[in-house]
Amino acid sequence: MMKKGLRFLKNNLVKNTIILIICSLLVKMLGLFNRIVLTRLLGNEGISLYTICLPSIMLFMSISGLSLNIALSKVVSENLVTKKYKNRTILIKSLILGLISSLVATLILLAIINPLSNKWLNQPNSYYPILSVILFLPIVVANNIIRGYYNGINKVNISAYANVIEQISRILVSTILIYLFASKGKVLVVTLAIISMGVGEVISLIYGIIKLKKNTIHIDGTNNPLKAISSIAFPTTFSRLIGNFTFFLEPIIYTFALNRINYSSDVIMYKYSEVNAYAVPLITMFAFVSTSIATSIAPNISINYVQKDINKVNNLIQKALIFSLIPGIFISIILFHFSSDYMNLIYGTNIGSQYVKYFSFAFLLFYIEPPIVSILQAIGKSKTISIVSIISNIFKLMLIFFLTFIPKISYNSLIIAMVINSVFLTLVQFF
C-alpha cells in the first residue's frame, strides 16, 4: 500500500509539473500575442501611453497583492501536516490582510497620482489610465489568495488553468473594448485596455471560486494563522518590490534626464515606448522557453544538490544553459538580418527596428538569466540573488540618468543601460 501511495504521489507530481510547464508556455505566448494585438489596435500614440503607465500599475498591483499566493502556498501545504489552523480561517485572515494592503496601495496612489502623472512622468494623459488600477486591486488580492490555496493543496493545475483563462479573457475583452471605443480618443482606449486586465482577473477569480467548492479541505485547527502568513508575505513582497520599484522609477528618471536636455514630453514617451513596447519585446520574444526550462530544472537541481550528486547537478546546469541559449541565438541571427521585416510583420511598423538590429546579440545573456536564477535558488543562494539584484537595479537607474547627458548617447541611454545591466547581472550570477 505504501509503495502504491508513493507511486501515486510521484505520478501526481509529474502530471502537475507537465501541466504547469505547458500552461506557463501558453500564458507567455498569449502574453506576447496580447502585446502584439494591443500595439496594432492602439497605434504608436496609444501603446506609448500604455507602456509608460505600466510600471506604475505593476508596482501598485504588487503592493496590493502582498505576495499572498506564495505565503498561502506555504502555510496551507504545511497545515495539511501540522493541522494548526482551519483552512477557512487562513483564507479569511489572508483576505483581511490583503484588503488592508489594497487600501494602503489605493491611498498611496491617490496621494501621488497628480505629481506622478503631471510632474514625474510629465504625461498628464497618464492620470486616468494609472488611476483605473484602483478598480481591480481587491480582485488581485482575492486571486492571489485563491491561487495560493490551490498551490498549497497541490492543485497547481487549477492555478495554471486560471492563468490561461485570465490571459484569454484579457485579450478578448481588450480587443472588443478598444474596437468599440477607438474613436473616443487615446486616453479612454488606453484606460479600457488597463481595465481589461481587471476583467481578466475577475473571470479568473470566478473560475477559482467555482472550483473551490469541490476542493475544500476541512481541518479543525484552532490557532491564528495571521503571524505565519505575515512572516512570509511581507519579506517576499519587499524582495519583489525592489524589481517593481526599479521598473516604476525607470520612466521617471528617463523623463527627468531627457527634460534636462530639452526633449519634449511627447518625444520622451515615444522614445521610451520605442524600446519597451517594440524593440525589447521582439528581441526577447522566445524568453518564455528559458523561463519554462528554469521552472522545470529547479526541482531536479535541488534534489541532486541535497544528495550531493555534483556531477548530475553540473550536467543539468550545462543542459539548462545550452537549451536556453539556442532560441536566443536563433532569434538574434534572424533579427540582425531582417529586423525591419519582422518588426513590420509582427507590429505593422518599423519603429524600434534599428534597436533590434544593433542590440539583438547583446541581449543573448538575457536568455540564460532565468535558469541561472532558478539554479541559485535551488542550491540555497536566494540571499545572494537579492543582494546582486539590488546592486544591479541601482546600477541600471544610474546608467539611465548619467548616460543621457553624453551627447552621442542621449535618448539611447535606456536601451544601453538595459544591455549593460543585463550583461553585468547575468555574468555576476553566473560566476
Side-chain angles (χ1 to χ4, degrees):
M1 286 294 289
M2 185 177 285
K3 286 183 179 179
K4 285 183 178 179
L6 289 170
R7 198 181 302 120
F8 171 78
L9 286 172
K10 186 177 180 181
N11 290 339
N12 197 41
L13 178 63
V14 171
K15 179 185 173 184
N16 283 341
T17 303
I18 291 169
I19 290 170
L20 189 60
I21 291 170
I22 292 171
C23 288
S24 295
L25 279 168
L26 191 56
V27 167
K28 295 290 181 184
M29 291 172 72
L30 285 169
L32 176 64
F33 179 70
N34 184 45
R35 178 55 70 96
I36 293 168
V37 170
L38 283 177
T39 303
R40 285 181 172 270
L41 288 174
L42 293 175
N44 186 34
E45 284 192 21
I47 198 63
S48 296
L49 180 59
Y50 178 88
T51 305
I52 210 162
C53 292
L54 207 55
S56 301
I57 291 164
M58 298 308 294
L59 175 67
F60 287 100
M61 285 177 68
S62 290
I63 295 171
S64 183
L66 205 63
S67 302
L68 288 171
N69 55 335
I70 295 172
L72 257 74
S73 177
K74 183 173 172 57
V75 172
V76 170
S77 61
E78 289 179 351
N79 193 50
L80 294 176
V81 178
T82 61
K83 302 187 185 301
K84 288 182 179 179
Y85 325 109
K86 284 183 180 179
N87 277 342
R88 178 185 172 85
T89 307
I90 294 174
L91 293 173
I92 292 171
K93 294 292 182 182
S94 299
L95 186 60
I96 293 169
L97 191 63
L99 290 175
I100 291 170
S101 68
S102 65
L103 177 62
V104 170
T106 299
L107 292 174
I108 293 171
L109 179 55
L110 289 173
I112 69 168
I113 185 66
N114 272 314
L116 173 62
S117 57
N118 294 312
K119 293 181 180 179
W120 303 345
L121 291 173
N122 201 20
Q123 297 293 339
N125 285 336
S126 68
Y127 182 93
Y128 288 108
I130 294 174
L131 192 64
S132 66
V133 75
I134 291 174
L135 297 174
F136 56 89
L137 288 182
I139 307 299
V140 172
V141 169
N143 242 340
N144 276 358
I145 291 169
I146 294 293
R147 291 178 190 178
Y149 172 77
Y150 285 130
N151 291 340
I153 63 171
N154 203 27
K155 294 284 185 179
V156 295
N157 56 319
I158 298 177
S159 293
Y161 298 149
N163 277 329
V164 174
I165 289 168
E166 180 188 334
Q167 281 287 4
I168 293 171
S169 304
R170 183 186 299 184
I171 293 167
L172 290 174
V173 173
S174 62
T175 302
I176 292 168
L177 289 177
I178 293 169
Y179 181 78
L180 289 175
F181 295 95
S183 61
K184 302 297 182 180
K186 68 177 181 180
V187 175
L188 177 62
V189 292
V190 170
T191 303
L192 291 173
I194 290 165
I195 289 174
S196 68
M197 294 168 62
V199 177
E201 293 269 358
V202 170
I203 295 170
S204 172
L205 178 61
I206 292 169
Y207 169 78
I209 291 171
I210 291 170
K211 287 288 182 181
L212 195 60
K213 292 181 181 179
K214 295 181 181 179
N215 293 279
T216 302
I217 299 174
H218 297 285
I219 296 173
D220 294 323
T222 56
N223 294 336
N224 189 339
L226 191 59
K227 185 177 179 181
I229 296 166
S230 302
S231 65
I232 301 166
F234 286 111
T236 307
T237 302
F238 178 75
S239 179
R240 280 186 169 185
L241 284 180
I242 294 167
N244 283 316
F245 193 62
T246 302
F247 190 40
F248 169 74
L249 289 176
E250 187 182 281
I252 294 172
I253 290 174
Y254 187 63
T255 298
F256 179 78
L258 286 177
N259 271 330
R260 301 283 75 74
I261 53 175
N262 299 318
Y263 276 90
S264 69
S265 58
D266 284 342
V267 171
I268 294 169
M269 184 174 68
Y270 295 144
K271 291 299 178 185
Y272 183 81
S273 68
E274 193 172 5
V275 173
N276 279 319
Y278 295 101
V280 173
L282 184 60
I283 294 170
T284 60
M285 67 185 300
F286 286 141
F288 62 84
V289 176
S290 59
T291 304
S292 298
I293 290 171
T295 303
S296 60
I297 203 75
N300 293 299
I301 294 279
S302 184
I303 291 167
N304 286 285
Y305 187 75
V306 169
Q307 294 174 345
K308 300 189 185 301
D309 191 348
I310 303 303
N311 288 332
K312 182 69 173 176
V313 171
N314 287 335
N315 185 39
L316 288 168
I317 290 171
Q318 288 173 11
K319 286 181 179 178
L321 297 184
I322 289 168
F323 285 116
S324 296
L325 266 177
I326 288 172
I329 293 170
F330 174 73
I331 194 69
S332 295
I333 292 170
I334 292 176
L335 292 179
F336 179 77
H337 293 288
F338 306 104
S339 59
S340 183
D341 297 310
Y342 275 92
M343 186 65 80
N344 254 316
L345 177 67
I346 293 174
Y347 294 119
T349 180
N350 281 322
I351 296 170
S353 59
Q354 75 278 11
Y355 288 139
V356 173
K357 181 177 179 64
Y358 295 126
F359 293 101
S360 55
F361 283 103
F363 271 90
L364 264 178
L365 288 178
F366 179 87
Y367 279 85
I368 64 170
E369 187 186 342
I372 288 176
V373 171
S374 187
I375 289 162
L376 287 171
Q377 287 173 334
I379 62 174
K381 298 289 183 182
S382 297
K383 188 176 180 181
T384 303
I385 296 170
S386 297
I387 293 169
V388 173
S389 178
I390 291 169
I391 294 169
S392 71
N393 283 326
I394 294 170
F395 179 55
K396 178 184 174 183
L397 294 175
M398 289 174 65
L399 283 173
I400 291 172
F401 181 78
F402 290 112
L403 289 177
T404 303
F405 297 99
I406 300 174
K408 288 186 178 180
I409 295 179
S410 184
Y411 56 77
N412 295 314
S413 62
L414 180 61
I415 195 163
I416 291 173
M418 284 182 174
V419 170
I420 294 172
N421 183 63
S422 179
V423 171
F424 166 76
L425 179 60
T426 309
L427 289 178
V428 169
Q429 288 174 337
F430 179 79
F431 287 113

